[in-house]
Amino acid sequence: MPLVSMRQLLDEAAKGGYGVGAFNVNNMEQIQAIMEAARATQSPVIVQASRGARQYSQDNFLYHLMLAAAELYPEIPVAMHQDHGNSFETCKSAIALGFTSVMMDGSLKADGKTPTDFEENVEVTRKVVEYAHERGVTVEGEIGVLGGIEDGHGAGGTGLEHVTDPDQAVEFAERTGVDALAIAIGTSHGAYKFSKKPDGSVLKMDILIEIHKRLPRTHLVMHGSSSVPKDLQDIVNKYGGHLKETWGVPVEEIQLGIQHGVRKINVDTDNRLAITGAIRKVLFENPEKFDPRDYNKPAREAMQKVVAERMTQFGQAGHAGDYTPKTIEEMREGYLDGTLETRPSLAGAH
Ligand code: 13P
């Protein structure tokens, strides 16, 4: 099947009460790992590429790998999403390439580092929503600022510096009409999120729950949601790595989020750890090996295992065949006739 709309995936997840993992990719092996995990668990899935990934792999390589994925796994609904678009132009170029969903991260300026003010964020996000919806493409916005830096994108610092204000989240949703909203609740991109298992003082699930109560139709997105499991850290360190002790977001907290409106869960770091651990192990144990397939294959398998586990934990497993994917043209009509409206003041009309 062709690449499908992320909005439809999230609407279906909301109906079914589950979450959908959004996994970052840069190369063929990562895409294969995700698609194999999706097939094994019968999961719909979101595959996402950051600006850094698009530069690393070059747009066309990445896009054609995604088309191959859609062709080779016709039973799997798969959306292709731009992660952390930094400007209208980045989102426009992703749409021109064929992405079915874009994130306009207007919480930061186009430099990808400096926090914006609220009005700037509303303005750029609204412009992207207007452009994308006219073309049937989904839009995710962000209000509040995540901690850490990923692929050169991020304000740095801890996840608690710019936690989302629920009043602003409601106003943002109303004024932009985004399909999905990333909120900052204390998480950060990368491996170093928390210095101990997080509790409510650093991971603000109460804020998430309040936002969902006030914005029941807007799909919430949890960024920085790798769990950074100790076993993956240990493999990296056992075979020559130097990771400091660290904690990620416990899966049970993500599951609590899913009960309260979280429909998209971003995971990158756990897969990076799994790949690196597998490669280190092969090369440590077999220093004579030099065929990249000798380590890329176990690396791909290690990532597949993590992705399949998350798919099961997020609840998307078993849902690939639940619905007939709509075309992007059908989604466009839904945006035009108002049936896909999310703004709180207008959504009730349909
Ligand atoms: P992690 O670094 O926790 O995997 O988060 C990835 C992410 O949020 C991508 O946008």
Side-chain angles (χ1 to χ4, degrees), residues 26-164:
N26 297 273
N27 62 22
M28 179 182 78
E29 284 80 3
Q30 289 176 308
I31 294 174
Q32 290 172 330
I34 295 167
M35 296 312 298
E36 279 298 307
R39 173 166 283 167
T41 59
Q42 282 302 295
S43 299
V45 68
I46 300 160
V47 177
Q48 59 186 9
S50 64
R51 277 187 299 139
R54 287 177 59 189
Q55 269 163 15
Y56 172 81
S57 59
Q58 298 182 33
D59 279 351
N60 279 349
F61 279 117
L62 201 59
Y63 180 59
H64 286 275
L65 286 169
M66 287 305 303
L67 290 185
E71 196 178 303
L72 292 171
Y73 299 80
E75 77 282 20
I76 303 298
V78 46
M80 186 175 183
H81 176 74
Q82 164 79 58
D83 192 22
H84 291 287
N86 63 322
S87 64
F88 176 76
E89 288 307 321
T90 297
C91 294
K92 194 174 162 192
S93 71
I95 293 168
L97 190 62
F99 282 57
T100 56
S101 178
V102 293
M103 175 184 195
M104 178 60 235
D105 180 0
S107 73
L108 298 177
K109 290 183 187 284
D111 67 4
K113 292 180 174 52
T114 316
T116 49
D117 65 37
F118 182 71
E119 290 300 326
E120 254 177 297
N121 190 356
V122 167
E123 193 179 323
V124 68
T125 307
R126 189 166 51 191
K127 192 171 160 196
V128 171
V129 169
E130 196 180 318
Y131 184 85
H133 285 183
E134 274 171 9
R135 289 158 180 79
V137 170
T138 312
V139 181
E140 172 186 341
E142 176 166 327
I143 182 79
V145 183
L146 268 275
I149 297 179
E150 189 192 30
D151 280 357
H153 183 100
T158 77
L160 288 176
E161 282 167 36
H162 303 276
V163 168
T164 305

Side-chain angles (χ1 to χ4, degrees), residues 287-331:
E288 75 289 358
K289 285 197 188 290
F290 58 86
D291 181 342
R293 290 170 298 186
D294 287 337
Y295 51 83
N296 277 335
K297 199 159 171 279
R300 187 170 60 189
E301 284 162 9
M303 174 166 164
Q304 182 186 329
K305 187 164 169 268
V306 172
V307 172
E309 200 180 351
R310 296 288 173 273
M311 287 170 160
T312 306
Q313 291 162 331
F314 300 161
Q316 73 210 80
H319 289 287
D322 286 359
Y323 49 94
T324 309
K326 291 189 183 134
T327 63
I328 292 298
E329 180 55 34
E330 284 171 308
M331 296 306 289

Side-chain angles (χ1 to χ4, degrees), residues 24 48 83-84 150 189-190 193 223-226 266-269:
N24 289 76
Q48 59 186 9
D83 192 22
H84 291 287
E150 189 192 30
H189 291 124
K193 302 182 196 300
H223 279 244
S225 289
S226 277
N266 283 17
V267 174
D268 186 4
T269 297

